Amino acid sequence: MTIDPAALRGAVLEPGQAEYDAARRIWKGLDRRPARIIRCADTADLRTAVEYAAQQQLPLALVGAGHDVAARSMPDGALVASTALLDRIEIDADRRTARVQPGVRWGELVAAAAPYGLATTGASVATVGVAGFALHGGLGWLMRSLGTACDNILELDVVTADGVSRQVNAHSEPELFWAMRGAGSNFGAVTSLTLRLHPITRVVAGMRMYPAAQAPALFEAYRRITERAGDDLVTHFYYNGSPDGAHSTGIGLCYSGDPALLGAVLAPLAELGAPTHDSVREMGIDELQAVHDASTPRGARYHLRAHYLSELNDEVRATILDRCRTVTAPFTQVFVEHMGGAVGRVPLGETAFGGRRAGYSFLVINGWDRPGEEADRIAWTRDFGDAVRPHAAPGAYVNYLDDDEDHRIPGAYGDAFTRLRGVKRRYDPDNMFRFNRNIAPEDDSAAR
């Protein structure tokens, strides 16, 4: 498997090179060794990589920020095109749009848009890539008022498996535009995304943490808060392990309404007394996007399970808390994210994103850093997911599916899955772009 380096402005990196080892490092601490990494220096290099893969009939993996929780973007023995160097950002303040290349991370986009008083729904970890996050839904701190990240995609520039560069929007390639807003990595290599921005500069946000013994009372308070929350409030319930073995529980929030009203909104928390840690304050959007940066360090090992939930009744809260008490890994976090609001008002057929009607998203991230613990840690995570499943709503957020959950991909898209397979058949019939939460082409079971 060779490609002429003279055809590229970037480089072809191979095992044994120092730059190869740096390029293959991703957020999830797995020792993945692809056959070649094409480090693209510009969009022409990315087109060359796609054309080469098509000519050689090779599957092609695409990696940007490397924050894919399933690590599918860095497969062993494969051809990988890295877009990490494609990091141009263009802000149009008059039109309230941002055009970004696929190597851009959320912290970089926020920093570029903030001087104009503009923002959009983004990740709560600044190092997450804009493209991977937005193309597959994008649940973020501003989603209940501004919609998911994919709801704010206005246009895409894409190189499809036939080597054709396409401008994809609601008027040009409308079926592909529908599919890529929710299942984007399946259909081509994105060279840029244009996102809608909104006038927002500051919010009240942060975390309030409590002793783990107060988790039942806090979870009940969280249920009450979310049941009457307006679109201007996004909240998370947390249960955390820590490197020193201690447990804690908490609530994270982002409030874009009148700060004078927040006390009343959070009144159920008063029954818990003073928190052990309180970082809730007015802050800029640039700080908001980095709230979780320290909690999931790059290079640790992680395994995930996720479900959608319709409600937080007594049974589901008890099930989650029973499992939380058995946390032993140092970087483990259990999240419940309140959805709804603008997320749920988008018609089901508007995009391919499958979580429109969910009330909450449940996620457990089991994280550890000592070798030799994989089997026990993964088994624990699976058991946690299995315990919550009887209480779950259909589907799960596709960005949260781990590498052993291919069987859950159809359910993550629900009724849209059959339509997505038809779009895949049209634009990638040989399933070149398969190193993702893969949607096989229609009537092509061999590629599944």
Side-chain angles (χ1 to χ4, degrees), residues 237-308:
F237 169 82
Y238 303 116
Y239 191 98
N240 305 321
S242 71
D244 64 7
H247 291 189
S248 61
T249 191
I251 184 171
L253 66 94
C254 173
Y255 180 67
S256 55
D258 182 350
L261 303 178
L262 183 58
V265 173
L266 300 180
L269 295 179
E271 301 169 13
L272 279 74
T276 57
H277 169 81
D278 188 352
S279 64
V280 175
R281 59 181 176 82
E282 188 176 351
M283 64 176 64
I285 297 297
D286 54 339
E287 296 177 89
L288 174 69
Q289 299 300 156
V291 165
H292 290 149
D293 280 12
S295 62
T296 51
R298 187 180 181 90
R301 290 295 309 272
Y302 298 98
H303 205 70
L304 282 70
R305 280 298 182 269
H307 295 288
Y308 287 133

Side-chain angles (χ1 to χ4, degrees), residues 15-17 20-35 37 70-78 299-302 368 371 374 403:
Q17 296 177 292
Y20 167 88
D21 284 334
R24 68 187 179 86
R25 293 194 186 102
I26 52 178
W27 170 76
K28 194 170 184 176
L30 298 175
D31 187 25
R32 294 288 176 80
R33 296 178 178 272
I37 300 174
R72 294 171 187 259
S73 59
M74 192 61 68
D76 286 325
R301 290 295 309 272
Y302 298 98
W368 66 97
E374 284 77 9
D403 60 359

Side-chain angles (χ1 to χ4, degrees), residues 13-51:
L13 306 178
E14 302 182 0
Q17 296 177 292
E19 292 179 334
Y20 167 88
D21 284 334
R24 68 187 179 86
R25 293 194 186 102
I26 52 178
W27 170 76
K28 194 170 184 176
L30 298 175
D31 187 25
R32 294 288 176 80
R33 296 178 178 272
R36 302 286 189 279
I37 300 174
I38 301 174
R39 188 173 60 189
C40 300
D42 54 23
T43 57
D45 282 358
L46 185 55
R47 286 194 295 270
T48 298
V50 174
E51 291 168 357

Side-chain angles (χ1 to χ4, degrees), residues 116-285:
Y116 301 96
L118 299 171
T120 194
T121 301
S124 57
V125 175
T127 56
V128 168
V130 172
F133 178 85
L135 290 172
H136 300 95
L139 305 183
W141 283 119
L142 300 171
M143 63 181 172
R144 284 176 50 82
S145 58
L146 305 183
T148 67
C150 79
D151 297 333
N152 288 284
I153 295 175
L154 298 173
E155 188 169 82
L156 299 156
D157 291 311
V158 183
V159 181
T160 46
D162 54 6
V164 174
S165 296
R166 303 174 189 268
Q167 188 177 67
V168 179
N169 56 46
H171 306 289
S172 171
E173 311 275 5
E175 190 71 355
L176 185 57
F177 186 56
W178 167 83
M180 295 198 72
R181 289 177 298 153
S185 64
N186 275 278
F187 303 100
V190 171
T191 59
S192 76
L193 304 87
T194 300
L195 299 169
R196 181 186 297 109
L197 301 177
H198 305 263
I200 182 169
T201 57
R202 301 188 69 79
V203 295
V204 177
M207 294 182 286
R208 289 183 180 171
M209 304 303 296
Y210 299 84
Q214 290 188 278
L218 178 63
F219 212 171
E220 167 60 15
Y222 176 77
R223 181 193 65 81
R224 290 162 58 194
I225 290 168
T226 58
E227 283 187 345
R228 61 188 185 187
D231 293 356
D232 50 12
L233 179 68
V234 173
T235 50
H236 300 169
F237 169 82
Y238 303 116
Y239 191 98
N240 305 321
S242 71
D244 64 7
H247 291 189
S248 61
T249 191
I251 184 171
L253 66 94
C254 173
Y255 180 67
S256 55
D258 182 350
L261 303 178
L262 183 58
V265 173
L266 300 180
L269 295 179
E271 301 169 13
L272 279 74
T276 57
H277 169 81
D278 188 352
S279 64
V280 175
R281 59 181 176 82
E282 188 176 351
M283 64 176 64
I285 297 297

